[in-house]
């Protein structure tokens, strides 16, 4: 799963196969598509018997705790909005569209449609045997499902975080960035010594906010603005007298912690954060609620002022 890039990236994989299990023929169709901080999947399984209703939440959490992860992971929590989304999924709505229609904004989503399992034990064995990669996802937090007869439609997801108040988010990013700068760090092949903390600058924050707003409004992720502006041009427009300028951008990260971790995990972005040439920064985010792919866009400006 890609979390950050300087340009838009879309990955997808599809496969279909048949298998035999316990004298029952199962046809499995899997479709996975991913983007920055978004994974979606759809699975259809039909077992050729009909049986009693199983406890879906308990069965999935059992699978998460007993073999679907090499380390301890959280139990999924039942989410009322996802329950409603699962119902709409059962009526033919695309899983991601169903989630968005009930106001559930996610960073990842997996969907399963199962029919004909007899009880908890059968469902648990099926999940453990074949679908640990889905139900055992450590990043998943929420579950919604809808049962009708012997069929169940399941949504497993993680909600997109909310950066909160802009001023608070800026301070959180600043704190995390300075924590990173306080320790020696390797950014790809380049090593950086610990360096002095950055200060938050209002003009750099203004430049960051304008670019984040434009990216969110027009759904793009580029250092070049739609008007052809570059980071140095946008910083200069605010009246900031710069000696050096740098910029990080991101899309899809729901919190300050996530976006800083993503930047630190990317050599070029990490180098900007660790560079001793920068003394000040500004950071801002903007949200496009209609953007089902990323939703949250970030811009971070780095600079050092001219010496007068």
């Amino acid at each position: 799963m890609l979390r950050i890039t300087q340009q838009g990236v879309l990955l997808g994989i599809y496969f279909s196969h048949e298998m035999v299990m316990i004298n029952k023929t199962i046809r499995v169709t899997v479709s996975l598509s991913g983007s920055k901080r978004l994974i979606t999947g759809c699975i259809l399984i039909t077992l050729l018997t009909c049986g009693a209703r199983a406890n879906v939440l308990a069965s999935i959490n059992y699978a998460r705790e007993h073999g679907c992860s090499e380390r301890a992971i959280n139990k999924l929590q039942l989410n009322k909005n996802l329950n409603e989304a699962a119902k709409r999924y059962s009526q033919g709505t695309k899983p991601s569209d169903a989630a968005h229609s009930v106001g559930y904004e996610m960073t990842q989503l997996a969907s399963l449609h199962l029919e004909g399992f007899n009880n908890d034990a059968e469902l648990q064995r099926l999940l453990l045997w074949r679908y640990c990669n889905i139900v055992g996802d450590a990043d998943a937090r929420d579950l919604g499902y809808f049962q009708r007869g012997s069929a169940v439609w399941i949504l497993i997801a993680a909600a997109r975080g909310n950066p909160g108040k802009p001023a608070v988010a800026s301070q959180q990013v600043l704190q995390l960035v300075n924590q990173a700068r306080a320790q020696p760090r390797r950014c790809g092949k380049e090593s950086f010594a610990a360096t002095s903390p950055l200060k938050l600058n209002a003009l750099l924050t203004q430049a960051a906010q304008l670019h984040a707003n434009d990216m969110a409004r027009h759904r793009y992720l580029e250092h070049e603005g739609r008007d052809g502006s570059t980071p140095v041009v946008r910083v200069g427009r605010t009246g900031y007298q710069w000696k050096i300028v740098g910029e990080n951008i991101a899309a899809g990260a729901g919190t300050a912690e996530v976006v800083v971790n993503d930047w630190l995990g990317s050599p070029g972005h990490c180098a900007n954060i660790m560079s001793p040439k920068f003394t000040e920064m500004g950071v801002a985010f903007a949200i496009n609620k209609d953007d089902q792919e990323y939703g949250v866009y970030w811009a971070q400006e780095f600079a050092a002022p001219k010496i007068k």
Side-chain angles (χ1 to χ4, degrees):
M1 175 173 56
L2 296 179
R3 293 190 174 188
I4 182 170
T5 182
Q6 294 183 12
Q7 298 183 4
V9 176
L10 180 65
L11 300 180
I13 184 170
Y14 173 89
F15 65 90
S16 177
H17 66 277
E18 290 190 343
M19 70 185 82
V20 176
M21 184 189 87
I22 319 175
N23 298 320
K24 300 174 185 177
T25 301
I26 307 169
R27 183 167 183 83
V28 181
T29 302
V30 179
S31 175
L32 297 175
S33 62
S35 63
K36 288 182 290 300
R37 309 209 68 80
L38 175 62
I39 292 179
T40 63
C42 298
I43 297 176
L44 172 63
I45 309 168
T46 302
L47 302 185
L48 303 181
T49 61
C50 295
R53 292 160 73 96
N55 186 323
V56 177
L57 177 62
S59 295
I60 288 178
N61 279 329
Y62 178 90
R64 287 172 69 84
E65 295 172 12
H66 297 84
C68 279
S69 178
E70 295 180 355
R71 58 186 176 87
I73 57 177
N74 62 293
K75 289 186 177 182
L76 295 181
Q77 301 297 315
L78 201 60
N79 183 283
K80 292 182 179 179
N81 286 342
L82 279 183
N83 279 346
E84 176 59 29
K87 182 178 180 180
R88 299 182 186 188
Y89 169 36
S90 76
Q91 297 167 344
T93 303
K94 183 180 176 182
S96 58
D97 291 341
H100 289 303
S101 72
V102 298
Y104 187 94
E105 301 301 327
M106 68 278 186
T107 58
Q108 63 183 59
L109 175 70
S111 59
L112 295 85
H113 175 194
L114 314 178
E115 294 188 9
F117 52 87
N118 293 309
N119 49 48
D120 289 2
E122 184 173 325
L123 176 57
Q124 291 162 12
R125 285 195 299 270
L126 177 62
L127 295 172
L128 285 166
W129 176 63
R130 185 63 183 86
Y131 299 105
C132 273
N133 62 320
I134 295 171
V135 301
D137 186 347
D139 293 328
R141 292 292 182 271
D142 299 325
L143 172 74
Y145 67 92
F146 176 74
Q147 285 181 281
R148 185 168 59 234
S150 62
V152 61
W153 290 260
I154 301 169
L155 298 177
I156 299 173
R160 177 180 292 153
N162 189 330
K165 295 181 179 179
V168 174
S170 294
Q171 287 295 333
Q172 290 173 335
V173 171
L174 178 67
Q175 181 180 6
L176 292 167
V177 163
N178 284 335
Q179 286 176 359
R181 288 170 66 90
Q183 301 292 330
R185 184 175 296 271
R186 198 169 173 81
C187 300
K189 296 181 179 180
E190 192 172 2
S191 295
F192 289 86
T195 189
S196 58
L198 298 177
K199 295 180 180 179
L200 206 59
N201 179 278
L203 293 179
L204 294 178
T205 297
Q206 179 183 337
Q209 188 67 71
L210 289 172
H211 191 47
N213 289 347
D214 194 57
M215 289 192 296
R217 183 179 303 113
H218 299 288
R219 304 184 189 185
Y220 73 97
L221 188 68
E222 299 285 349
H223 291 289
E224 182 177 328
R226 293 179 72 256
D227 61 355
S229 63
T230 62
V232 295
V233 169
R234 292 189 293 271
V235 168
R237 286 172 179 170
T238 69
Y240 187 97
Q241 300 297 309
W242 55 270
K243 180 173 66 175
I244 184 173
V245 170
E247 179 180 80
N248 284 348
I249 55 176
T255 66
E257 291 82 359
V258 169
V259 76
V260 173
N261 284 337
D262 284 349
W263 280 330
L264 289 173
S266 170
H269 301 83
C270 175
N272 273 347
I273 289 174
M274 293 300 298
S275 175
K277 296 178 181 179
F278 298 127
T279 59
E280 298 180 313
M281 63 159 269
V283 65
F285 68 87
I287 297 175
N288 184 335
K289 294 182 178 180
D290 296 325
D291 181 358
Q292 297 184 5
E293 188 172 15
Y294 301 124
V296 185
Y297 292 77
W298 295 80
Q300 181 182 34
E301 311 302 328
F302 301 91
K306 282 185 179 179
I307 299 175
K308 298 181 180 180

